[in-house]
Amino acid sequence: MDIRDIQAYAVSSPIDPPQERQFHGGMRRLNKRDVVIIVVDTADGERGFATAGASSSAMREYFEGDSQGTFADVVNESIADQLIGETVEEPADVQSLVRELPLPERAKTEAASALDVALHDIRGKELGAPVYELLADQYDDHDGAAPTDIPLYASAGMYMEPEGYVQQAKTIEELGFFGYKYRPGIGPDEDRRTVSLLADALDDTEIMLDVHTWWKLEDGYDEETVRDLVKHAGTQGAYWVEEPLEPEDYEGYVEMAKQGVPLAGGESESTDGLVKLGETGAVDFLQGDVRHHRGFSGCQAAIELSRGREMEFVPHNFGTWFGLIANAHLVASAPEVRLLEYPVFENDPVLSAEHDPGMYQNDVAFDIIEGQPDIEDGRLSLSDDPGLGIEIDLDVVEKYPFQDGPWTEFHYHDEDEAVPE
């Protein structure tokens, strides 16, 4: 594949009006969601797509105060200038090319992730095969029948009254999703009450807690409180507790695992850190993401590690339908990988329910691709069209112009200034 052109477009989906959510110790304001669209063209006329999924907080870490718009600029300038004219025999070859670029490490990771996905899309189109078939060939025990009917768990609930979580979870169960994942952080007592109410309210749908809020709070819960809440979630049959500790606290994860409650983590790790977390044996579910962990190629080590242990690889996916489909190809390709995260935003056109279970507005999530994913009864059916089987609607670049500023802000009760993320 001879790379002829690389273009990046930063877009923003406004949350209008901005939403404010009360949590333990403060208030969170949701302003918008950002995404960067990557388009790669080859000399043979094939075009591949990807999205870059880093949060705006991650962008500030890379660029000292800048954002997704800065990342798009870096792709269009530094990265495109170096890679246009290069030839790659296999999509994974782009990893070494990006690694040599004089850029911050995390920026290189985001670029390698997106380019790897786009080049797999191109290779699939060249060969007339879906990406999951290309990926499945890497496994010696693959029997040629990739499972393209994928169960989804709904990722929703963010900082609401316990009864609000319950109403949302009941709707998710009615829609047929495997699980309901929510974000607590409304205070230890109310967090405890919420999981108990959910356990009583749901019959078939699993409960997952995404508790990274606990360690992101200005005055986070202390170790004993976190341990007790994790243990309580376990007694209520929680399918997993996700990110109960800061990502690099491997010893803490090992100690927490002694509670006997299934733990999940990895989305906030680097690609190497994802594997290191898995190697601790502390997590039951390892959450890699093609948008964060060097694409399809970068996730392979974590998948292989999971297969050799009593641990399940479940891709993290939070953003757009494009990211959903990209990670679905990873699920379909790998033996023993079966479950996928489905973020639920307001006014989701493929969901029909009396009560909207969406977290907040993110219209670009739906408009970014042409058509809609095939979702019914909480399951995604993946097509066998070549490449990723989808096309990005580049009209979103004009429809959703990039807006500067943080996508979300945390206002703490004892502070005058907002803390952006």
Side-chain angles (χ1 to χ4, degrees):
M1 291 177 283
D2 297 325
I3 300 174
R4 181 173 63 85
D5 193 31
I6 298 173
Q7 291 287 329
Y9 306 93
V11 299
S12 296
S13 187
I15 299 173
D16 186 21
Q19 295 187 13
E20 295 184 350
R21 304 289 178 88
Q22 300 296 323
F23 61 87
H24 181 65
M27 180 271 291
R28 182 176 184 177
R29 177 176 288 115
L30 304 167
N31 301 311
K32 59 169 183 168
R33 291 298 314 209
D34 299 328
V35 65
V36 175
I37 300 167
I38 307 292
V39 184
V40 178
D41 291 294
T42 68
D44 292 334
E46 292 289 358
R47 170 170 282 188
F49 298 100
T51 56
S55 67
S56 51
S57 61
M59 288 295 98
R60 281 195 304 279
E61 291 174 6
Y62 308 162
F63 303 116
E64 298 181 1
D66 291 315
S67 65
Q68 298 275 28
T70 305
F71 180 65
D73 291 341
V74 168
V75 171
N76 289 329
E77 296 166 8
S78 301
I79 294 174
D81 287 349
Q82 294 295 316
L83 297 189
I84 288 175
E86 291 284 352
T87 298
V88 292
E89 296 298 327
E90 298 295 336
D93 294 345
V94 78
Q95 302 287 333
S96 59
L97 294 177
V98 173
R99 196 171 289 116
E100 299 301 318
L101 299 177
L103 293 170
E105 191 60 36
R106 291 191 178 184
K108 290 192 287 187
T109 296
E110 292 300 315
S113 300
L115 293 171
D116 186 272
V117 170
L119 289 171
H120 273 91
D121 189 25
I122 289 172
R123 177 49 54 87
K125 291 171 180 175
E126 288 178 339
L127 299 177
V131 166
Y132 62 76
E133 285 189 3
L134 308 183
L135 299 173
D137 289 342
Q138 302 175 67
Y139 299 100
D140 293 337
D141 56 349
H142 180 66
D143 61 8
T148 55
D149 179 43
I150 300 170
L152 304 171
Y153 74 86
S155 187
M158 178 185 289
Y159 317 145
M160 60 180 77
E161 292 297 317
E163 291 76 13
Y165 288 115
V166 171
Q167 183 184 62
Q168 191 179 67
K170 285 183 175 179
T171 299
I172 292 301
E173 185 167 60
E174 291 169 2
L175 291 168
F177 283 94
F178 173 86
Y180 169 69
K181 187 171 82 174
Y182 70 99
R183 289 142 189 84
I186 55 175
D189 291 341
E190 292 296 81
D191 284 350
R192 177 184 292 268
R193 190 164 79 90
T194 297
V195 71
S196 296
L197 289 174
L198 287 170
D200 289 340
L202 299 180
D203 295 320
D204 301 316
T205 300
E206 300 287 355
I207 302 167
M208 296 97 153
L209 290 77
D210 187 351
V211 302
H212 64 271
T213 299
W214 292 350
W215 51 266
K216 284 186 176 180
L217 296 174
E218 180 75 1
D219 293 313
Y221 300 173
D222 60 36
E223 291 182 11
E224 182 178 359
T225 299
V226 170
R227 185 172 58 253
D228 289 347
L229 285 169
V230 169
K231 185 175 182 179
H232 177 68
T235 66
Q236 299 304 302
Y239 194 73
W240 74 53
V241 178
E242 181 175 329
E243 289 196 319
L245 304 164
E246 295 187 58
E248 66 275 10
D249 187 6
Y250 298 151
E251 291 184 6
Y253 269 96
V254 171
E255 287 300 311
M256 188 67 70
K258 295 177 182 178
Q259 297 285 334
V261 180
L263 303 180
E267 70 174 76
S268 300
E269 291 281 2
S270 66
T271 308
D272 292 339
L274 179 69
V275 173
K276 289 179 181 178
L277 177 62
E279 288 174 341
T280 66
V283 294
D284 301 85
F285 301 93
L286 193 59
Q287 298 170 305
D289 186 333
V290 298
R291 300 163 308 155
H292 295 299
H293 297 113
R294 292 187 170 269
F296 297 113
S297 304
C299 287
Q300 293 306 312
I303 291 174
E304 291 289 357
L305 177 69
S306 299
R307 297 185 67 202
R309 296 168 179 256
E310 292 184 2
M311 178 170 55
E312 185 174 340
F313 186 92
V314 180
H316 165 262
N317 169 61
F318 203 84
T320 67
W321 277 347
F322 187 97
L324 173 79
I325 298 298
N327 276 298
H329 279 268
L330 193 65
V331 173
S333 71
E336 302 165 26
V337 178
R338 64 183 183 92
L339 187 62
L340 182 58
E341 179 175 13
Y342 185 82
V344 183
F345 299 111
E346 292 177 0
N347 302 312
D348 187 321
V350 302
L351 304 182
S352 178
E354 182 179 353
H355 300 287
D356 190 334
M359 287 173 291
Y360 50 78
Q361 185 180 7
N362 186 12
D363 295 342
V364 77
F366 315 126
D367 292 348
I368 197 168
I369 67 171
E370 297 179 358
Q372 297 181 354
D374 184 0
I375 295 173
E376 187 173 356
D377 295 330
R379 303 181 74 90
L380 169 69
S381 294
L382 200 56
S383 82
D384 59 359
D385 291 341
L388 293 172
I390 51 175
E391 295 290 329
I392 282 181
D393 183 355
L394 288 176
D395 288 345
V396 297
V397 176
E398 298 296 329
K399 186 177 180 181
Y400 298 96
F402 181 73
Q403 300 176 1
D404 264 323
W407 82 269
T408 186
E409 301 167 302
F410 288 85
H411 297 260
Y412 297 104
H413 292 328
D414 58 351
E415 288 186 346
D416 294 327
E417 295 184 4
V419 179
E421 181 171 292

